[in-house]
């Protein structure tokens, strides 16, 4: 017997949990702040002198410059991972498809590492070619390279996996891409400077500690555009679940749909990876939970995966930075510890279909 929730109960529940998780995330850390001081500190940071309440200056600084952008970045990156996981599973018609497992995150990591290691060379070459205009778009370099890597990895998995029809080939392609990306990253680490090597190591573990308002703005805009366009194809994704031939009979441009998914998914994943590093298994776990609660309809699966993905990553990041305070565990390690057993469980359920 399957358990389903209606929109009237699921949506308010997710929103309420998201608000509660956000308030807890803002209050917990190396410096514990009560919820009243959280609200007062945010007001003081936004509009100094508006309230007559005496709020310590460090509260406003910590909340406005560190915890709030980190919270928003966690919501954006988690939502991106949830949406990309849901859409990839729909395109491949396979519950094991996930950006981290099939090598898409690794492809994005290679693209971003090129900028981290060879950024000065790229800046010099592009600056000489584009002149002063390059200075205005230089901040796009990291997400652009990460997106190109993610798009190429998605296309490669799609082609090698017999256009999504072979589970074994899809997983093997993901393993091969991840191994190749790992070797490439190792080569980059060998030639990198000490500073670049340290940045690469922490970045590959996945963390939201480097959150900035610029990163929040860029990744938020990209997530809103790509997520909205993917959501607009929800009905076509529902038709695709019936099979490619059936979807064509229903008037769906299957080839165009898959091309659009590959590009939009790559751009969104590239933006997410460029600001947070590699965070795995969120895109695998979240869509499955939403399907259990609401069903496979992509009209609801995509937005609810965004909400639950943001909630899951926010909670994981809160635990990662508070459980070992003042030290901080990279959130990618925690999501892997939670998501890997779930992936093994899915493999166990799918073993007869795979083999």
């Amino acid at each position: 017997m399957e358990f389903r929730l209606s929109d009237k109960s699921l949506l308010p529940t997710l929103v309420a949990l998201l608000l509660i998780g956000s308030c807890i995330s803002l209050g917990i850390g190396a410096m514990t702040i009560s919820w009243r001081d959280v609200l007062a500190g945010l007001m003081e940071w936004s509009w100094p002198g508006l309230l007559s309440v005496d709020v310590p200056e460090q509260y406003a600084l910590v909340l406005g410059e560190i915890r709030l952008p980190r919270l928003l970045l966690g919501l954006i990156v988690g939502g991106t991972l949830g949406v990309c996981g849901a859409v990839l599973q729909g395109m491949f018609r396979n519950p094991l498809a996930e950006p981290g497992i099939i090598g898409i995150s690794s492809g994005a990591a290679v693209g971003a590492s090129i900028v981290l290691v060879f950024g000065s060379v790229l800046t010099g070459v592009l600056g000489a070619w584009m002149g002063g205009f390059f200075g205005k778009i230089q901040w796009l370099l990291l997400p652009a390279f990460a997106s190109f890597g993610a798009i190429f990895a998605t296309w490669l998995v799609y082609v090698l996996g017999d256009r999504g029809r072979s589970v074994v080939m899809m997983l093997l392609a993901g393993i091969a891409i991840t191994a190749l990306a790992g070797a490439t990253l190792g080569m980059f680490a060998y030639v990198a400077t000490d500073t670049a090597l340290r940045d690469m190591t922490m970045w590959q573990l996945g963390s939201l500690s480097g959150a900035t308002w610029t990163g929040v703005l860029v990744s938020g805009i990209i997530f809103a555009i790509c997520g909205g366009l993917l959501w607009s194809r929800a009905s076509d994704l529902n038709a695709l679940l019936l099979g490619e031939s059936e979807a064509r009979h229903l008037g769906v441009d299957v080839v165009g749909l898959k091309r659009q998914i590959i590009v939009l998914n790559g751009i969104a994943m590239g933006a997410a990876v460029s600001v947070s590093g590699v965070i795995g298994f969120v895109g695998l776990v979240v869509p499955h939970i939403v399907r259990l609660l609401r069903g496979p309809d992509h009209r609801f699966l995509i937005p609810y995966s965004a909400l639950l993905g943001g909630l899951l990553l926010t909670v994981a990041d809160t635990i990662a930075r508070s459980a070992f305070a003042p030290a901080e565990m990279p959130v990618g390690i925690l999501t892997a510890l939670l998501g890997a057993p779930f992936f093994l469980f899915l493999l166990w359920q799918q073993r007869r279909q795979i083999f």
Side-chain angles (χ1 to χ4, degrees):
M1 182 177 179
E2 294 185 349
F3 178 69
R4 292 283 189 271
L5 290 177
S6 65
D7 289 337
K8 293 182 179 180
S9 58
L10 181 57
L11 183 58
T13 300
L14 286 176
V15 173
L17 290 175
L18 200 60
L19 292 175
I20 294 172
S22 299
C23 291
I24 293 174
S25 177
L26 289 173
I28 292 180
M31 177 191 295
T32 302
I33 305 175
S34 67
W35 67 270
R36 292 179 180 176
D37 287 336
V38 166
L39 296 177
L42 289 176
M43 291 293 292
E44 179 64 23
W45 174 76
S46 304
W47 297 281
L50 181 65
L51 299 177
S52 58
V53 180
D54 185 20
V55 182
E57 183 179 351
Q58 63 267 29
Y59 282 10
L61 182 63
V62 167
L63 289 169
E65 300 297 331
I66 299 176
R67 293 190 184 175
L68 184 58
R70 182 166 183 158
L71 168 65
L72 294 176
L73 190 66
L75 295 176
I76 293 169
V77 172
T80 300
L81 295 174
V83 169
C84 289
V87 171
L88 284 175
Q89 290 170 13
M91 185 184 79
F92 285 103
R93 301 195 302 280
N94 191 287
L96 301 178
E98 193 266 342
I101 294 173
I102 60 178
I104 297 173
S105 295
S106 298
V110 171
S113 295
I114 293 175
V115 179
L116 292 175
V117 178
F118 306 106
S120 58
V121 177
L122 289 172
T123 301
V125 172
L126 293 176
W129 177 46
M130 303 177 67
F133 177 72
F134 177 70
K136 300 178 181 179
I137 63 171
Q138 185 175 352
W139 56 273
L140 284 173
L141 202 59
L142 187 62
F145 271 74
S147 297
F148 288 144
I151 291 172
F152 179 73
T154 307
W155 173 81
L156 199 57
V157 169
Y158 174 68
V159 173
L160 294 178
D162 194 18
R163 302 185 180 274
R165 288 188 286 267
S166 174
V167 183
V168 175
M169 288 300 297
M170 182 189 71
L171 293 176
L172 290 177
I175 292 172
I177 292 173
T178 302
L180 181 60
T184 304
L185 293 173
M187 182 179 65
F188 288 166
Y190 183 76
V191 301
T193 62
D194 291 340
T195 302
L197 179 60
R198 184 169 57 253
D199 293 340
M200 276 186 61
T201 301
M202 293 305 298
W203 182 79
Q204 289 176 42
L205 295 175
S207 175
L208 302 175
S209 60
T212 62
W213 282 110
T214 301
V216 170
L217 179 63
V218 174
S219 59
I221 291 174
I222 293 176
F223 169 62
I225 295 174
C226 294
L229 291 174
L230 290 171
W231 190 20
S232 69
R233 305 304 300 269
S235 298
D236 293 338
L237 280 168
N238 289 338
L240 190 61
L241 293 177
L242 302 174
E244 293 189 11
S245 59
E246 289 79 1
R248 290 191 184 92
H249 287 308
L250 293 174
V252 177
D253 179 8
V254 175
V255 175
L257 173 63
K258 290 186 174 182
R259 286 176 179 172
Q260 186 177 13
I261 289 175
I262 289 173
V263 173
L264 292 176
N265 179 84
I267 294 173
M269 280 300 303
V273 168
S274 67
V275 295
S276 67
V278 180
I279 299 176
F281 293 103
V282 175
L284 175 71
V285 175
V286 167
H288 281 279
I289 296 176
V290 176
R291 286 192 190 92
L292 290 175
L293 297 176
R294 187 56 182 81
D297 190 341
H298 285 85
R299 294 176 300 172
F300 305 101
L301 179 63
I302 292 176
Y304 289 172
S305 293
L307 291 174
L308 187 58
L311 173 63
L312 179 61
L313 190 56
T314 298
V315 172
D317 182 58
T318 303
I319 296 173
R321 62 183 171 83
S322 60
F324 303 98
E328 179 179 320
M329 175 190 291
V331 69
I333 296 177
L334 185 59
T335 57
L337 289 174
L338 297 175
F342 187 81
F343 177 64
L344 293 175
F345 172 72
L346 288 178
L347 277 179
W348 178 261
Q349 282 191 326
Q350 298 285 320
R351 65 191 185 282
R352 291 194 181 122
Q353 299 179 26
I354 295 177
F355 299 105

